[in-house]
Amino acid sequence: MEGKLSNRIRILRFHNGEMSQAELGQRIGLTRQTIAAIEAGKYSPTLEAAFRIANVFKVPLGEVFQWEVSGEDALPEK
Amino acid sequence: MPYREKTAWLSLCAMIVTFGPYFVYVAMDSGPPRPLPDLHELSYYAAITVAELLILGIGHLVLRLKWPEEARTPLDERDDAIKLRSLSSAYYVLIFGMIYAGCIMPFTFKGWSLVHASIFMIVCAEITRLCVIVISYRRQA
């Protein structure tokens, strides 16, 4: 199944008092550069890091990360 | 630029600056083969190793003094993933090099040619490792 991992970290940071990448990274034990790479969709975090990020924003994992299916497997638009 | 990328650049530059001229010298040395063990070849190798260690030592000291907090930050999962990727790439280069220098070259070469070839393959593997680290950080992968 083809697709890509997208995320709403930038928006969630904005809604949490413009939290900086460095601050988020510090709270979950990642570097600022790693948070930037995750936000840009260049690096897929481990499941543990994904849960940690969701926990910081106090939202379910699915609200932070989404799997966007592409190609023939994509759901037809309504 | 992440601290790990800075240290990778430093190692890459140190390696090119020291081993580059060394291998150019080795390649240009067209004189008759000297009798073994020919220890003055070993002294060149020792000299460039010391030079490389000096560059690395001073470089790491400067980086640590300039970015003390970044230097203290432990590796995170992405750093580990990049490290693993770079090591596996270097492993294949090293395996190829060692098979060539250790299993094929002895049929046609001997003495310091084998030593130089082995050192060259090790340097190639190390350069591969450092290049993969730098490229991975550049591409944010």
Side-chain angles (χ1 to χ4, degrees), chain A residues 48-63:
Chain A
E48 188 182 328
F51 271 110
R52 282 176 193 269
I53 293 170
N55 198 42
V56 168
F57 297 125
K58 306 221 180 328
V59 293
L61 189 62
E63 271 193 44

Side-chain angles (χ1 to χ4, degrees), chain B residues 33-46:
Chain B
R34 289 176 286 266
L36 293 174
D38 189 17
L39 289 180
H40 89 276
E41 290 271 359
L42 192 64
S43 66
Y44 292 148
Y45 179 64

Side-chain angles (χ1 to χ4, degrees), chain B residues 15-35:
Chain B
M15 193 143 270
I16 290 167
V17 164
T18 51
F19 282 96
Y22 175 72
F23 286 119
V24 168
Y25 161 75
V26 167
M28 306 269 279
D29 186 20
S30 56
R34 289 176 286 266

Side-chain angles (χ1 to χ4, degrees), chain A residues 38-77:
Chain A
I38 294 170
E39 262 190 38
K42 300 275 180 72
Y43 171 72
S44 299
T46 59
L47 195 56
E48 188 182 328
F51 271 110
R52 282 176 193 269
I53 293 170
N55 198 42
V56 168
F57 297 125
K58 306 221 180 328
V59 293
L61 189 62
E63 271 193 44
V64 186
F65 295 98
Q66 299 81 38
W67 179 252
E68 290 179 358
V69 182
S70 60
E72 290 176 4
D73 297 318
L75 290 172
E77 285 183 26

Side-chain angles (χ1 to χ4, degrees), chain B residues 122-141:
Chain B
I122 292 168
V123 169
C124 283
E126 185 63 3
I127 286 177
T128 303
R129 185 182 75 82
L130 295 167
C131 284
V132 171
I133 291 175
V134 166
I135 291 167
S136 296
Y137 279 114
R138 284 287 89 196
R139 293 173 58 190
Q140 287 195 319

Side-chain angles (χ1 to χ4, degrees), chain B residues 21-79:
Chain B
Y22 175 72
F23 286 119
V24 168
Y25 161 75
V26 167
M28 306 269 279
D29 186 20
S30 56
R34 289 176 286 266
L36 293 174
D38 189 17
L39 289 180
H40 89 276
E41 290 271 359
L42 192 64
S43 66
Y44 292 148
Y45 179 64
I48 56 152
T49 304
V50 169
E52 192 197 6
L53 288 176
L54 274 175
I55 294 171
L56 286 176
I58 294 167
H60 276 282
L61 194 67
V62 170
L63 289 177
R64 274 180 181 276
L65 288 173
K66 209 165 178 186
W67 292 281
E69 278 192 22
E70 282 186 50
R72 277 195 297 270
T73 309
L75 296 180
D76 70 7
E77 59 175 52
R78 181 166 154 263
D79 297 320

